[in-house]
Amino acid sequence: MENIRYASVIVTYNRKKLLKEAVISLLNQDLKPENILIVDNASTDGTEIELEQTVENNKCISYYRLKENMGGAYGFWFGLNEASKLDVDWVSLSDDDAIYNNNYFSRISKSIEKNSNVLAFTGTVRLMDESIQKSHRRRVDSWSTLRQSEVEENEYKKDFYFDIFTFVGAVISLKLIKRIGLPRKDYFIWYDDTEYSLRVRKYTKIMNVSHAEVIHKTKLPGSATTNANPTDWKQYYGVRNQMITVKKHARNPLLACAYVVYRTIRRMAGTLIKRERRGYRKYMLQQDFTGLVDGLRSKVGINKKYTPK
């Protein structure tokens, strides 16, 4: 058996302690990466100083500090662009809060060996309480509207195929990356991984290697596309980017757009009714409405009203 040669891309912003833990989890792999590429979205918390010694002591690490925060979407675009220049066959993707188990990539490698026709793999994403965060692995229930559902927990007892992944622990063939191109850098944040999954899915099956596990040290349990915090600014990008994605990839774009409008209006109605959203209603309604309008207009990039504060 021949082990895979891979590079790992990590995108970070203002989480230096988690980032260091994520990098160490890669350095401790029993099948080590050829390269680790850290893309820093202009952190202001001393990330560069925190990582200085680790970078100096490990020649496989390349650290890229961007001049301004261009969002996670740009970070993954930049990281994959740099990785495509390397002498590797596979590239993994993750945020700074993804901590890999030591055997993650050796288990992925074994599955690659057994499934030579598959060009994209993932592992199981667990939260800190060891529960499976199902939102990271989803299937398309309707290709007309791109309606999706999470893979149920009982399927994680063995490997399975699915359609939509997040960038937490995704491992993609470099040949495929060069064929389908880079992720969209103009989404800023959210849904860039869904859009990229749809491009990947057109050319290959996607397999989850269920015994390869990564711990997602996030503070927000549940769906990666759910606005759990009413003061969160990200919902705008979720609505906008979903609309742009379905317009491009759904088999029935008109019906898909109507479905996004319907779901967004339902959420807006909930915002008006739910007592716990009192005081945040105007802000949340503005995000949803502006996201819909900008999505229909295919307006991308950073909206200055909705950025990290």
Side-chain angles (χ1 to χ4, degrees), residues 69-81:
N69 185 359
M70 301 292 289
Y74 186 92
F76 284 114
W77 175 90
F78 184 96
L80 270 182
N81 186 53

Side-chain angles (χ1 to χ4, degrees), residues 28 102 106-107 229 244:
N28 287 340
N102 292 358
S106 62
R107 290 185 169 181
N229 182 353
I244 294 170

Side-chain angles (χ1 to χ4, degrees), residues 4-57:
I4 63 170
R5 301 178 72 255
Y6 70 98
S8 291
V9 173
I10 305 177
V11 177
T12 187
Y13 176 69
N14 276 357
R15 291 194 287 196
K16 60 183 181 181
K17 298 295 184 184
L18 269 177
L19 172 62
K20 192 168 184 178
E21 188 177 354
V23 172
I24 290 173
S25 78
L26 284 168
L27 293 172
N28 287 340
Q29 289 296 306
D30 50 18
L31 176 56
K32 300 185 186 305
E34 301 288 324
N35 308 88
I36 300 173
L37 295 81
I38 302 170
V39 183
D40 183 352
N41 252 316
S43 294
T44 58
D45 66 344
T47 291
E48 189 171 10
I49 297 172
E50 180 76 23
L51 266 286
E52 186 175 12
Q53 189 172 353
T54 303
V55 172
E56 286 180 358
N57 293 341

